[in-house]
């Protein structure tokens, strides 16, 4: 498995076995993806190792390849809107996209130095609130916000993501400005979240 991923790029396994690595990295070539991501200027926004410094651009390091590819194709089709990504998405082939996504998926994500405890956010993350149709975040994104892969669907890594980016996306889900989650689940969840809950979740998850 690791030989297929290329010898010049160390895969940051983070304790995953080879099957979990395959689900996370997919069939792309991270070594080729490194060069392609530089040529296509992906690293200019998302960072050389996929750990962007600007909250406008999400951190992609350690993200599922399948999730990156889906979001990119949604930008290409217009199902998701961003003033930069909609223009970029039309210029990269599917083959190059697969390799670029595999490169970012193979990188080690930034870890928060210390989790910020928050009773409101932790309760919503762990158990949700079924009276308000709020599913537990952990049911899709994992107990440590490490993401998950099930039924051919990738649910994104959230841990260590920019707080302001998480907050912005939750607000977009709530307003239905963004509507590209599987089955519209994020719109259902977010529409019941209060402002203070969105703020608390963004801070809590970014510190995981």
């Amino acid at each position: 498995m690791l030989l297929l991923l290329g010898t010049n790029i160390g895969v940051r396994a983070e304790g995953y076995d080879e099957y979990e690595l395959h689900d996370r990295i997919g069939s792309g070539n991270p070594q080729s993806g490194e060069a392609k991501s530089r040529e296509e200027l992906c690293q200019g926004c998302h960072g050389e190792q996929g750990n962007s410094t600007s909250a406008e651009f999400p951190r992609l390091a350690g993200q599922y390849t399948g999730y990156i590819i889906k979001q990119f194709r949604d930008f290409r089709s217009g199902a998701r809107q961003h003033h930069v990504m909609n223009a970029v998405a039309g210029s990269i082939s599917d083959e190059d996209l697969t390799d670029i996504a595999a490169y970012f998926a193979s990188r080690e994500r930034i870890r928060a130095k210390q989790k910020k405890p928050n009773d409101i956010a932790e309760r919503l993350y762990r158990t949700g609130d079924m009276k308000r149709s709020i599913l537990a975040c952990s049911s899709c994104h994992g107990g440590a916000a490490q993401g998950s892969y099930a039924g051919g669907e990738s649910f994104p890594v959230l841990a260590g993501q920019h707080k302001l980016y998480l907050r912005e996306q939750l607000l977009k889900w709530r307003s239905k400005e963004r509507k590209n989650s599987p089955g519209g689940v994020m719109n259902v969840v977010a529409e019941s979240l209060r402002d203070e809950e969105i703020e608390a979740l963004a801070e809590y998850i970014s510190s995981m």
Side-chain angles (χ1 to χ4, degrees):
M1 175 65 67
L2 295 182
L3 290 176
L4 293 175
L5 296 174
T7 57
N8 293 332
I9 294 182
V11 175
R12 312 302 188 181
E14 298 187 272
Y16 304 126
D17 63 28
E18 67 177 72
Y19 297 104
E20 290 173 309
L21 275 174
H22 181 268
D23 287 344
R24 192 168 294 271
I25 296 176
S27 61
N29 185 320
Q31 190 171 13
S32 296
E34 180 184 29
K36 291 174 181 178
S37 68
R38 188 176 295 112
E39 291 167 4
E40 298 292 347
L41 306 180
C42 306
Q43 296 182 18
C45 293
H46 295 287
E48 184 177 352
Q49 298 292 318
N51 288 300
S52 70
T53 57
S54 169
E56 181 180 356
F57 305 107
R59 290 172 174 150
L60 300 181
Q63 188 58 270
Y64 278 94
T65 288
Y67 181 77
I68 295 174
I69 290 174
K70 180 189 184 304
Q71 298 309 305
F72 195 92
R73 288 175 174 166
D74 285 350
F75 285 124
R76 184 189 287 165
S77 71
R80 185 176 175 186
Q81 293 293 315
H82 187 272
H83 64 285
V84 174
M85 288 304 302
N86 294 118
V88 169
S91 65
I92 299 178
S93 69
D94 282 344
E95 179 181 355
D96 288 349
L97 171 60
T98 300
D99 290 342
I100 290 169
Y103 169 68
F104 284 123
S106 74
R107 302 295 81 202
E108 185 173 11
R109 60 184 170 85
I110 285 180
R111 300 301 187 96
K113 294 181 180 179
Q114 184 177 3
K115 185 185 292 186
K116 296 180 180 179
N118 185 298
D119 291 342
I120 293 174
E122 186 165 6
R123 174 177 52 80
L124 288 171
Y125 190 88
R126 303 295 177 193
T127 64
D129 185 344
M130 294 310 295
K131 291 182 179 178
R132 293 190 288 152
S133 300
I134 300 175
L135 296 175
C137 307
S138 60
S139 63
C140 292
H141 298 287
Q146 77 277 19
S148 66
Y149 181 84
E153 191 73 55
S154 300
F155 298 93
V157 178
L158 300 180
Q161 189 57 266
H162 296 290
K163 172 188 171 181
L164 293 180
Y165 181 81
L166 292 171
R167 178 180 178 274
E168 179 185 30
Q169 298 311 304
L170 284 169
L171 290 171
K172 286 184 176 181
W173 292 120
R174 189 173 69 178
S175 69
K176 294 184 172 57
E177 179 181 346
R178 183 176 173 186
K179 298 184 289 185
N180 69 324
S181 65
V185 63
M186 284 305 304
N187 298 109
V188 173
V189 169
E191 70 181 358
S192 296
L193 290 173
R194 305 180 182 101
D195 287 345
E196 60 271 23
E197 291 172 332
I198 287 177
E199 189 71 25
L201 281 167
E203 182 167 27
Y204 176 75
I205 294 169
S206 67
S207 73
M208 294 177 76

